[in-house]
Amino acid sequence: MRIIHNGSLMTNDPSLKFIADGAVAVDGGRIIAVGNGEAIRQTYCDAELIDAKGGIIMPGLVDTHTHLYRILARGRAEEGALLRSEFELRRGFWQRIEGKLSLDDCIRAAYAAMAQAVHCGVTTMVDMHFCFPDPRASLIAIAGAANDIGIRACLGFGVSASLGNAVFEAAIEENLGFIEYCGARPELAVRALFGFDGLSDIEDSRLWRIAVAVGSRAGYEVSLDGGNAELFDSLRRLGRSPVARLSELGLLGEKTIICHGSGLRSDDLALLKQAGSFVAEAPFSPARSEKIRLDALLRVGVNTSLATDGAFADPVTAAMFALDRLLNSPDIDLACSAYADTGRLLFAGGEFVSRCFGYEIGIIKPEAAADIIIIDVPRYTEPDGNNVHLHLLAGGAKCTFSMINGRIVMLDGILQTANEEFITKRCAAASRALWERAGK
């Protein structure tokens, strides 16, 4: 048993949002008690003490949509970033890179991206994976990396018919095999999602076959980053929007997350709200003119979370973009509530992954997952239950400790589960080789 104490406790629990001198007692992978530091220490006097050193004790962050392999391109200028739409960017630049990825590239990238995410306070990642031309066993390999690093993960392979029937069918089988793998191992901190990288090139008959095969065993991660181009293509060829097709075929639900808000119409938003699905919004796209405004998602009441899309590691950076967009909303009410809404969005992803795992994540309360971080922030002003996210956004915050599923993953800013220097060198070598193969 362990107690994390000597810090300000932000719980994300509406019934007990903040304790100035708080503590959390953990046994195994679950939280067993939350309260005043002195009371918790007296109750569990034999527990190991972890000193927060005056930092902020809070739930770990959730990145609700990323691409781990993109760390292999992180820091490079995105060729084609000035194209008219992300639809063209995805069909061009990124797909050429994805077509050159080896399984070894993906594994090296996963270790490095997960380690970097831990330093940013992330305890759960929702990853859409690619490994062409042979997807087989790649998701289990990525799950192995997550287990080694110690991070919680929801993983799916991005199925796309545009790459040919053989790869399409192999990607379907990879998703279904991983769903079976996770279902037989509920003790793992990994869950399966069936991934779709776009829908306009997948016929209804194939979607229905997938829905029947998946059943209730897993949810869906659907990337709709093609914007209006993808929407119009779907309307022209299939007569309905992608979201309408998902709804008609039974693929919308509480364990479905739509990645990006591109090309969503008002009727799509109504369907998403009715189904209780989530939208993971990455509010920093080069195709922002095609992005549905974040304020529209909030105004309608669609479940919305923030994501990095693999462009960087830190969800707080995504929150800064979201804050900028909300402050500039034409809706004066949303502009006035921008700071409060940004704080809610930063922690909203916990609700989605809680549905995937079957227990509460992203909240500090008894019986919830023991996914806890400590943030060291400059204390020019004192944090309280309403302003912790503002301390994160103000700059200078640093994650110094991470516990995931009750396991200490980072201590005093040092990863405890892997050799970061080794991981970084292997990832850098893979990146160089990948770009040489891609002719960049």
Side-chain angles (χ1 to χ4, degrees), residues 8-11 17-20 56 379 381-391:
S8 302
L9 175 60
M10 195 286 283
T11 67
K17 292 176 64 176
F18 186 83
I19 305 174
I56 298 174
R379 287 188 176 241
T381 61
E382 285 300 308
D384 59 38
N386 298 313
N387 70 11
V388 167
H389 65 286
L390 299 180
H391 282 262

Side-chain angles (χ1 to χ4, degrees), residues 110-152:
Y111 276 97
M114 290 172 178
Q116 190 178 41
V118 169
H119 281 288
C120 295
V122 174
T123 54
T124 304
M125 309 181 83
V126 180
D127 176 58
M128 180 170 286
H129 169 60
F130 302 104
C131 184
F132 304 122
D134 187 0
R136 292 175 297 180
S138 56
L139 286 171
I140 291 177
I142 302 302
N147 182 68
D148 288 346
I149 295 297
I151 201 165
R152 191 182 297 276

Side-chain angles (χ1 to χ4, degrees), residues 30 139-140 143-144 146-148 150-155 178-192 356-359 361 404-405 407:
R30 298 296 178 91
L139 286 171
I140 291 177
N147 182 68
D148 288 346
I151 201 165
R152 191 182 297 276
C154 296
L155 306 174
F178 189 63
I179 290 170
E180 184 175 352
Y181 173 88
C182 291
R185 297 164 179 82
E187 74 280 1
L188 295 179
V190 177
R191 292 293 184 268
C356 297
F357 279 88
Y359 49 85
I361 297 169
I404 305 174
N405 203 29
R407 178 185 180 188

